[in-house]
Amino acid sequence: MKKDLLGMYSLLFLCMFLFVSVTCTAQNTSDGLSDVPKHEIGFSMGIYPVIGMWDRARSDEKWFSHHEHYKTDIGDTIDSWLIGSFTFNYYYNMTRFHAVGIQSTLAFRHITTLPTDNPYQEPYSPLIKTLKRENQPYNSLNAFWALQTSYRITFKRYPVCTLYSGCSLGFTLYFMDEHWKGDLVIFPSGHLTLLGVSLGKRNNGNIELGYGTQGILNVGYRLKF
């Protein structure tokens, strides 16, 4: 079932990317690209990402906040933190104002569990069984990886500064531990860039405000060539 879902999301992702690329290639590029490099690669770091938003409807865990403190149905106390987001991206400038690309985002969730000695709960391992018996907290990490196609529109371009907005759509793989093992959940994901500012010509510093997998505030570097 999970393999079927992964195949479906992968096919959807490829279709989206091909559709956007072909559509933009067919546009009239009379506005020219003489002063705008065609390719851009970069990376960025974000805070307060919402990377698990689509899975909340079928989970008891809380996904929307950067930090959550709550009790489970069996009495365990949970403290969880999203450890930011790390994104690598590529853009192709079809015109002076329209660009398409691909983004890969990685994030981790740190979880501290203070267990309750519940006789009806089966411990995950002998170590956790001992910790539960001694009422000691234990730590774990969850890993998220998102792959998305992106569209960006530049609505103001200056010699060393550009203003832009954009959106990204794709899917997220959610692993129950940091070693990319254990249970795997696949769900669609997205990001909306409300306002982005890029400073520089070939070497750019970027700052973005948005909502989604990359965080509310996103800061990074991009090379144009």
Side-chain angles (χ1 to χ4, degrees):
M1 181 64 178
K2 292 176 181 177
K3 291 183 178 179
D4 292 339
L5 285 174
L6 179 58
M8 182 183 68
Y9 285 132
S10 299
L11 180 60
L12 178 62
F13 172 81
L14 290 174
C15 290
M16 289 168 50
F17 186 76
L18 289 173
F19 174 77
V20 173
S21 299
V22 171
T23 301
C24 291
T25 302
Q27 289 182 348
N28 182 351
T29 57
S30 59
D31 54 353
L33 276 169
S34 58
D35 61 337
V36 179
K38 286 188 175 183
H39 306 281
E40 301 179 19
I41 57 173
F43 65 90
S44 62
M45 294 180 291
I47 59 173
Y48 299 106
V50 188
I51 202 161
M53 58 188 296
W54 295 98
D55 195 49
R56 190 186 185 192
R58 53 195 187 89
S59 173
D60 293 332
E61 297 185 55
K62 302 174 191 263
W63 300 107
F64 279 87
S65 296
H66 179 70
H67 170 253
E68 289 288 351
H69 178 85
Y70 61 98
K71 282 199 172 189
T72 65
D73 293 337
I74 62 173
D76 289 352
T77 301
I78 304 293
D79 266 307
S80 69
W81 298 266
L82 266 174
I83 312 175
S85 65
F86 307 90
T87 301
F88 297 90
N89 53 64
Y90 166 79
Y91 278 100
Y92 180 75
N93 289 302
M94 307 302 300
T95 72
R96 287 175 54 84
F97 302 101
H98 302 281
V100 294
I102 185 170
Q103 310 216 44
S104 176
T105 300
L106 180 66
F108 292 94
R109 182 186 299 276
H110 181 272
I111 301 173
T112 299
T113 303
L114 181 60
T116 178
D117 188 12
N118 190 329
Y120 300 103
Q121 183 192 24
E122 182 67 25
Y124 295 104
S125 68
L127 173 60
I128 294 180
K129 184 176 182 179
T130 300
L131 292 172
K132 288 177 68 65
R133 186 172 59 250
E134 297 176 357
N135 199 33
Q136 295 296 315
Y138 57 90
N139 299 311
S140 60
L141 281 178
N142 293 163
F144 298 85
W145 178 65
L147 185 63
Q148 300 170 341
T149 56
S150 302
Y151 167 75
R152 185 185 68 201
I153 180 169
T154 299
F155 51 85
K156 201 68 176 177
R157 187 179 293 278
Y158 300 101
V160 293
C161 176
T162 56
L163 305 178
Y164 59 89
S165 295
C167 61
S168 303
L169 290 174
F171 62 88
T172 293
L173 302 181
Y174 165 46
F175 299 85
M176 295 300 185
D177 63 54
E178 73 275 22
H179 302 295
W180 313 100
K181 298 179 181 178
D183 292 335
L184 169 66
V185 180
I186 307 169
F187 46 87
S189 61
H191 183 83
L192 176 65
T193 301
L194 300 175
L195 175 63
V197 180
S198 178
L199 299 174
K201 290 186 176 181
R202 300 286 177 175
N203 294 282
N204 285 191
N206 304 288
I207 184 169
E208 298 176 354
L209 295 176
Y211 184 80
T213 55
Q214 298 170 38
I216 293 177
L217 178 64
N218 203 35
V219 179
Y221 165 81
R222 196 172 293 148
L223 173 66
K224 298 180 179 182
F225 58 98

